[in-house]
């Protein structure tokens, strides 16, 4: 290509998830065509994002400091721990107002087809967190109601067997195959209120 | 959302072509998870792209200055003008080494379904360019062999009728290396209607 800065921008854009080399060029042409402000605003937003948002060292959720606002909040119920796949799931559950405990974000789900095993998730962190904090007496498995999410819930339930814990799973009020982050608030809230003992649930 | 800088980055990312609000969040999480370098490199690349690459004021192709390297090149044949839809098409044609004239980039094609009419393209610029430069004696229509590209070629050919110009169109047919058995019916039909004398075609 004749223009190194175009080639460079397209290469970096195509390294982002979901952007192929064709869409990367389309985005680059779009930015060349737009006001200078657009590229500058985007560039600044990406730098601020990286500076101001990180992952909580305890729960793995989004944070503005070493510990996130939820883990810092002394009024939260420290006996309940909700396990989710992604940081975005925390906000979906917070919006229901049905859960007052703490979270643990796995950063994904077990998916052999994508090469993601238990060792790629924050499961060992979960085990040591539970081992070192005897206030926790309920683990609510809120992984997605998909094959991967169900397998992950099962794996964690097995890994925690033998500890003095109630292991629960959000109820199947959420339609199978959907993503927790985008479930409507009422359905998701009900599935938390009606959570079942993990072994008794279907 | 609890983090304004995440919300802002996701909003700006989702304003880019081909990126919805879900992919925007996925990209943002990916950047939070990556090295700081990645966000900084990308931010810098976007700013450099916008600073160093612009559109040629004459042909509308990519340029590093007011006039692009092709329009500046005094050795190019100024009697031939090749009309293409997008800046990327110029590079595809340059790679063939078969065209030594100048280009005119339309920035799209007529597409009523997408709300793109002739007035949204660089067609009036084409007409005044031809009116003011009597060295041009051939206009080669190299819009895509699609419904939109054919309609656009047709529109331009009509708009230029009455001027002393050869108006040509790139030939359509079976691509080199393809199997006739698997060519689509429209392409194959066209290649039969537009058949060439055997000794004349290369």
């Amino acid at each position: 290509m004749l223009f190194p800065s175009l080639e460079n921008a397209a290469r970096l854009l195509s390294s982002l998830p979901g952007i192929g080399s064709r869409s990367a060029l389309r985005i680059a042409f779009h930015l060349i065509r737009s006001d200078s402000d657009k590229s500058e605003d985007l560039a600044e937003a990406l730098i601020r994002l990286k500076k101001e948002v990180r992952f909580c060292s305890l729960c793995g959720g989004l944070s503005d400091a070493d510990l996130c606002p939820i883990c810092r909040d002394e009024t939260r119920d420290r006996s309940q721990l909700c396990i989710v796949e992604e940081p975005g799931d925390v906000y979906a559950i917070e919006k229901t107002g049905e859960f007052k405990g703490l979270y643990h974000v796995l950063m994904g789900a077990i998916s052999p087809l994508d090469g993601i095993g238990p060792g790629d998730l924050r499961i060992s962190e979960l085990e040591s967190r539970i081992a070192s904090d005897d206030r926790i007496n309920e683990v609510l498995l809120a992984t997605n109601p998909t094959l991967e999410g169900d397998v992950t819930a099962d794996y964690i339930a097995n890994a925690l067997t033998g500890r003095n814990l109630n292991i629960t799973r959000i109820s199947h009020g959420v339609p199978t195959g959907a993503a927790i982050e985008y479930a409507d608030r009422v359905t998701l809230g009900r599935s938390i209120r009606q959570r079942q003992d993990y072994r008794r649930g279907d």
Side-chain angles (χ1 to χ4, degrees), chain A:
Chain A
M1 203 162 327
L2 281 170
F3 303 96
S5 49
L6 174 61
E7 194 172 9
N8 189 42
R11 186 180 53 78
L12 289 170
L13 284 167
S14 67
S15 76
L16 298 175
I19 301 186
S21 56
R22 233 189 126 151
S23 346
L25 265 185
R26 197 145 46 103
I27 291 170
F29 288 157
H30 171 87
L31 289 174
I32 297 173
R33 229 170 280 178
S34 309
D35 292 344
S36 290
D37 287 356
K38 181 152 189 175
S39 300
E40 278 165 25
D41 288 353
L42 180 59
E44 199 194 305
L46 297 180
I47 287 183
R48 273 190 51 206
L49 171 71
K50 187 59 191 171
K51 247 185 216 151
E52 296 178 9
V53 185
R54 57 173 116 174
F55 294 110
C56 173
S57 65
L58 185 59
C59 74
L62 295 175
S63 185
D64 53 355
D66 183 51
L67 284 184
C68 74
I70 295 173
C71 288
R72 288 200 302 262
D73 184 347
E74 291 296 332
T75 70
R76 307 282 303 204
D77 181 351
R78 277 154 205 277
S79 71
Q80 299 190 332
L81 197 58
C82 178
I83 316 298
V84 295
E85 294 181 17
E86 298 289 346
D89 298 336
V90 171
Y91 299 98
I93 292 177
E94 283 295 287
K95 276 189 211 139
T96 70
E98 298 280 350
F99 183 74
K100 299 297 181 196
L102 299 184
Y103 292 91
H104 193 87
V105 181
L106 298 172
M107 295 295 176
I110 297 171
S111 174
L113 282 179
D114 300 316
I116 303 172
D120 300 307
L121 306 175
R122 299 182 66 253
I123 293 179
S124 60
E125 286 91 334
L126 173 65
E127 293 181 278
S128 43
R129 185 173 175 186
I130 288 171
S132 66
D133 185 350
D134 54 17
R135 291 170 297 185
I136 301 168
N137 62 37
E138 179 179 352
V139 169
L140 168 55
L141 299 166
T143 52
N144 285 332
T146 57
L147 180 63
E148 291 80 9
D150 286 343
V151 165
T152 307
D154 214 44
Y155 181 91
I156 292 174
N158 283 327
L160 299 179
T161 300
R163 297 185 188 277
N164 189 20
L165 287 171
N166 288 323
I167 300 178
T168 55
R169 177 90 168 105
I170 50 164
S171 75
H172 278 254
V174 243
T176 304
I180 284 195
E181 188 174 353
Y182 300 101
D184 73 275
R185 203 168 63 171
V186 177
T187 307
L188 188 57
R190 185 178 288 159
S191 77
I192 290 169
R193 282 197 309 282
Q194 300 181 350
R195 60 188 180 268
Q196 313 269 304
D197 274 342
Y198 189 70
R199 291 300 173 196
R200 264 188 30 217
D202 69 340

